């Protein structure tokens, strides 16, 4: 049964359909039209409009309209194409003819033309269809991936879904987790709705290790992350000191580090302390006190966490930095990622993937802010694929991430974004994005994403599947609601509710 007939002027890219029954078509539906010699051509409804001549602008203003006959409902359709015998996507050479019938597309045609895999990382369903969407794990890891959306749209949730799938493949994972959202990968979800998606709850308690910094007292942590503190630069050290140094103090520190670099090449924090202690200036004592503070924090130790423990097969390391200052987070990220990339280049650790939450804080766009971790992340984005180190960046401020990093991500998962600058930053890098899709991005419901990938022909909309593990990014409920009746009785001001002092 056809859903309607093509009318008016058509071209190779788009046409309009007079819908026989408005109830049979929805925006984003896939439809098909027969065309010689290609056969069935896949198309997509991008917009539906409704009009009524009796109520056109002129008639509403000029005539007093008394009756209300039926509306004209028109589907605006974009042509996706068909596969030729070599498997390439082709648009019809000639436009469709007005009068051609339009039908709902079948699952087989949708999958074939869009190039949807039938195995890989299972991330959800094609929106409006019962068609599972799989990502190619090699493509995701080797060619990098970004998850972008405004807060609360489901970024961390989606990242969790992909991490669950990657954990099943056994590929090493390292997660930079500024808010402590990924420790929950260890535990199965208690949400029973997930069975609808043909999946079962699962916890990855034996595969995931949560590391915290010695400076934070984190009950979720399995282990404390300790770094070797080798070849720290003077600016790394400055970042590790909470208060500002005077110019004389800075001078002593920079001179000491430079001397060590020149004379030894290889040095650690203890060496810097000795070098500063050996200077003549009286100011050295205050610098020493600050260096001792860093030493005592335990972040740098003689028994550092080995990289081959952090990054190994069938394992994910989550570096949970909840409660740590952004500067210290950046230094730790820089040091860990530099060492990881170096070891991957030398093949000391296996190929794998680095995941960075809140990436705008770790590799900000130049001009917005600076971070010591920027250089190494930029290098991994541009060269990581050569060495088998993949990158997943997650951010709520796409406009504020280094463009060089974003542009290297061959798979983009975009959930709801409303900020115009962020939309611009995202759409610049997207192929096949249309004005209608941009409108969609602004109004996507939570957990629904636009997926654009260099190995899927056309951006598609995916309902991200529920998590098998528990989601750790739940926002804290600051105000506890009670039923209206209870609230009246309770009395209590805003603050007592906020801080739970009642
Ligand atoms: N695919 C999904 N299925 C079900 N619920 C979801 C999905 N994605 C997000 N949510 C809900 O939305 C909330 C916010 O998602 P989250 O990933 O924490 O947002 P973000 O990281 O973008 O700020 C989650 O706590 C979860 O309840
Ligand atoms: Mg989040």
């Amino acid at each position: 049964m056809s859903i309607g007939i093509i009318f008016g002027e058509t071209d190779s890219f788009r046409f309009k359909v007079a819908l026989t029954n408005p109830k049979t078509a929805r925006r984003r539906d896939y439809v098909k039209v027969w065309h010689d010699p290609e056969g069935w051509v896949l198309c997509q409804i991008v917009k539906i409009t409704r009009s009524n001549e009796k109520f056109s602008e002129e008639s509403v203003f000029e005539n007093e309209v008394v009756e209300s006959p039926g509306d004209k409902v028109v589907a605006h359709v974009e042509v996706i194409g068909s596969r030729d015998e070599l498997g390439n996507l082709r648009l019809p050479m000639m436009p469709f003819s007005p009068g051609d019938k339009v039908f709902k597309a079948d699952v087989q045609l949708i999958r074939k033309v869009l190039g949807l895999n039938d195995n890989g990382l299972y991330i959800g369903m094609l929106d409006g269809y019962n068609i599972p969407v799989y990502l190619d794990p090699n493509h995701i890891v080797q060619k990098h991936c970004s998850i972008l959306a405004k807060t609360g749209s489901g970024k961390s949730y989606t990242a969790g879904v992909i991490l669950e799938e990657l954990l099943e493949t056994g590929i090493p994972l390292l997660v930079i987790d500024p808010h402590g959202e990924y420790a929950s990968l260890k535990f199965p979800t208690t949400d029973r709705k997930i069975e609808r998606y043909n999946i079962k709850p699962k916890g990855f308690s034996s595969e995931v290790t949560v590391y915290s910094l010695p400076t934070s007292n984190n009950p979720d942590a399995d282990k404390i992350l300790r770094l070797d503190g080798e070849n720290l630069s003077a600016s790394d050290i400055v970042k590790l000191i909470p208060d500002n140094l005077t110019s004389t103090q800075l001078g002593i520190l920079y001179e000491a580090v430079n001397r060590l670099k020149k004379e030894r090449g290889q040095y650690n924090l203890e060496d810097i302390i000795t070098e500063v202690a050996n200077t003549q200036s009286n100011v050295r004592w205050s610098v020493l006190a600050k260096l001792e503070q860093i030493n005592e924090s335990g972040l740098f130790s003689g028994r550092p966490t080995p990289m081959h423990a952090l990054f190994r097969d069938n394992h994910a390391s989550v570096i949970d930095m909840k409660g740590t200052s952004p500067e210290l987070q950046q230094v730790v990220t820089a040091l860990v990622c530099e060492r990881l990339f170096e070891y991957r280049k030398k093949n000391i650790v296996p190929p794998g993937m680095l995941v960075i939450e809140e990436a705008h804080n770790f590799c900000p766009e130049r001009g917005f802010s600076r971070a010591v971790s920027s250089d190494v992340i930029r290098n991994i984005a541009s060269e990581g694929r050569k060495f088998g180190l993949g990158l997943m960046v997650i951010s709520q401020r796409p406009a504020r991430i280094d463009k060089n990093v974003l542009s290297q991500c061959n798979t983009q998962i975009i959930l709801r974004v409303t900020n115009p600058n962020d939309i611009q930053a995202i759409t610049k890098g997207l192929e096949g994005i249309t004005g209608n899709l941009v409108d969609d991005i602004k109004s996507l419901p939570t957990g629904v994403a636009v997926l654009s990938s260099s190995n899927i022909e056309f951006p598609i909309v995916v309902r991200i599947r529920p998590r098998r593990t528990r989601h750790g990014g739940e926002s804290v409920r600051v105000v506890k609601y009670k039923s209206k009746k209870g609230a009246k009785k309770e009395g209590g001001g805003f603050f007592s509710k906020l801080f739970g002092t009642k």
Side-chain angles (χ1 to χ4, degrees):
M1 263 249 301
S2 94
I3 60 159
I5 285 175
I6 298 182
F7 73 97
E9 194 179 68
T10 66
D11 66 29
S12 299
F13 306 102
R14 53 191 66 80
F15 54 85
K16 290 185 201 168
V17 179
L19 291 175
T20 328
N21 176 357
K23 291 207 180 95
T24 57
R26 289 162 313 165
R27 200 163 53 93
R28 294 211 288 261
D29 273 356
Y30 291 98
V31 295
K32 62 180 181 182
V33 186
W34 184 264
H35 195 264
D36 271 330
E38 296 90 351
W40 287 114
V41 178
L42 186 71
C43 310
Q44 188 176 28
I45 298 180
V46 293
K47 186 165 80 172
I48 295 183
T49 55
R50 239 181 154 112
S51 63
N52 190 322
E53 269 155 33
K54 292 258 177 190
F55 296 96
S56 70
E57 210 169 292
E58 300 85 51
S59 53
V60 163
F61 285 107
E62 284 167 19
N63 313 316
E64 212 177 306
V65 183
V66 279
E67 48 183 322
S68 147
D71 297 347
K72 281 183 194 161
V73 185
V74 174
H76 300 249
V77 179
E78 281 183 3
V79 184
I80 296 176
S82 58
R83 294 274 167 186
D84 65 14
E85 53 291 353
L86 296 174
N88 295 322
L89 187 75
R90 284 284 152 85
L91 283 174
M93 296 303 274
M94 286 293 287
F96 297 111
S97 302
D100 280 353
K101 283 185 177 163
V102 178
F103 299 86
K104 290 216 152 189
D106 52 279
V107 170
Q108 223 185 343
L109 183 76
I110 296 175
R111 294 180 68 144
K112 183 170 152 206
V113 175
L114 293 178
L116 298 181
N117 296 339
D118 51 12
N119 59 44
L121 314 178
Y122 171 43
I123 60 155
M125 295 283 189
L126 188 65
D127 192 36
Y129 291 85
N130 221 347
I131 304 178
V133 176
Y134 299 94
L135 298 174
D136 175 353
N138 281 312
H139 191 268
I140 282 284
V141 174
Q142 283 170 1
K143 302 200 169 169
H144 310 322
C145 157
S146 62
I147 303 179
L148 308 169
K150 71 187 282 183
T151 309
S153 319
K155 286 181 305 295
S156 310
Y157 196 100
T158 305
V161 167
I162 298 178
L163 288 175
E164 289 168 7
E165 295 286 323
L166 286 172
L167 272 162
E168 294 285 0
T169 69
I171 186 174
L173 299 165
L174 178 67
V175 185
I176 301 293
D177 180 11
H179 299 309
E181 292 174 290
Y182 293 94
S184 64
L185 281 166
K186 293 200 285 189
F187 311 109
T189 180
T190 48
D191 181 359
R192 293 290 143 192
K193 280 185 284 191
I194 76 164
E195 270 136 34
R196 262 190 271 152
Y197 280 75
N198 244 335
I199 42 175
K200 294 208 160 61
K202 177 167 178 180
F204 292 88
S205 55
S206 43
E207 289 88 352
V208 174
T209 307
V210 178
Y211 288 86
S212 75
L213 305 187
T215 41
S216 64
N217 197 354
N218 186 343
D220 294 334
D222 301 310
K223 290 187 176 165
I224 305 278
L225 181 74
R226 297 193 196 274
L227 306 175
D228 59 19
E230 263 178 36
N231 303 346
L232 288 170
S233 70
S235 63
D236 287 340
I237 293 172
V238 172
K239 290 267 168 22
L240 291 164
I241 298 172
D243 27 43
N244 288 336
L245 297 184
T246 64
S247 52
T248 330
Q249 290 172 327
L250 278 176
I252 290 178
L253 182 62
Y254 273 87
E255 270 173 30
V257 172
N258 280 342
R259 252 194 321 274
L260 284 170
K261 258 188 208 162
K262 229 186 267 157
E263 287 166 17
R264 299 210 205 161
Q266 189 97 357
Y267 58 90
N268 61 24
L269 186 61
E270 300 275 350
D271 298 327
I272 301 176
I273 292 176
T274 317
E275 195 68 26
V276 170
N278 286 340
T279 55
Q280 297 307 313
S281 160
N282 282 339
V283 181
R284 70 181 186 274
W285 303 116
S286 58
V287 179
L288 279 176
K290 293 182 199 293
L291 292 176
E292 283 298 347
Q293 253 176 17
I294 301 177
N295 209 14
E296 280 160 18
S297 77
L299 184 58
F300 303 101
S301 106
R303 291 179 53 201
T305 311
M307 188 48 79
H308 56 80
L310 272 183
F311 207 68
R312 58 187 151 99
D313 285 335
N314 299 308
H315 184 259
S317 291
V318 174
I319 302 184
D320 179 341
M321 298 194 282
K322 190 169 51 190
T324 307
S325 76
E327 289 78 16
L328 182 56
Q329 292 194 6
Q330 288 160 2
V331 177
V332 171
T333 303
L335 295 173
V336 171
C337 295
E338 277 160 14
R339 191 51 47 91
L340 172 64
F341 197 26
E342 179 197 334
Y343 276 31
R344 181 73 277 279
K345 283 180 180 167
K346 295 180 182 158
N347 212 9
I348 301 175
V349 291
M353 189 165 211
L354 169 66
V355 179
I356 302 188
E357 250 289 355
E358 307 283 359
H360 51 278
N361 289 334
F362 297 102
C363 49
E365 173 68 346
R366 278 170 246 212
F368 278 111
S369 61
R370 291 159 59 88
V372 280
S373 43
S374 279
D375 284 349
V376 62
I377 297 175
R378 212 178 295 135
N379 288 343
I380 294 174
S382 60
E383 287 184 57
R385 89 176 55 159
K386 270 197 293 201
F387 299 102
L389 183 60
L391 183 66
M392 180 192 288
V393 292
I394 305 163
S395 171
Q396 73 236 20
R397 290 315 314 270
R400 301 212 169 166
I401 310 184
D402 190 320
K403 296 214 170 22
N404 297 307
V405 172
L406 264 198
S407 66
Q408 295 293 335
C409 297
N410 277 262
T411 298
Q412 281 118 339
I413 298 176
I414 300 146
L415 297 110
R416 184 172 58 251
V417 178
T418 47
N419 180 299
N421 294 330
D422 290 330
I423 291 194
Q424 209 194 3
I426 290 172
T427 51
K428 257 191 201 159
L430 280 188
E431 282 171 35
I433 191 121
T434 60
N436 291 304
L437 204 51
V438 171
D439 288 341
D440 279 343
I441 290 174
K442 291 186 206 160
S443 59
L444 289 169
T446 301
V448 179
V450 168
L451 168 71
S452 163
S453 169
S454 54
N455 73 346
I456 295 182
E457 292 290 348
F458 224 70
I460 57 172
V461 180
V462 184
R463 251 178 305 126
I464 302 296
R465 71 161 171 81
R467 293 268 302 254
R468 301 178 68 189
T469 56
R470 204 181 289 165
H471 176 48
E474 302 294 347
S475 47
V476 178
R477 265 190 30 185
V478 235
V479 181
K480 291 202 173 63
Y481 298 103
K482 292 221 164 166
S483 70
K484 272 192 180 145
K485 246 161 103 193
K488 249 186 209 158
K489 265 193 230 141
E490 186 190 29
F494 174 69
F495 284 102
S496 64
K497 282 180 202 151
L498 192 64
F499 297 109
T501 52
K502 271 220 65 114

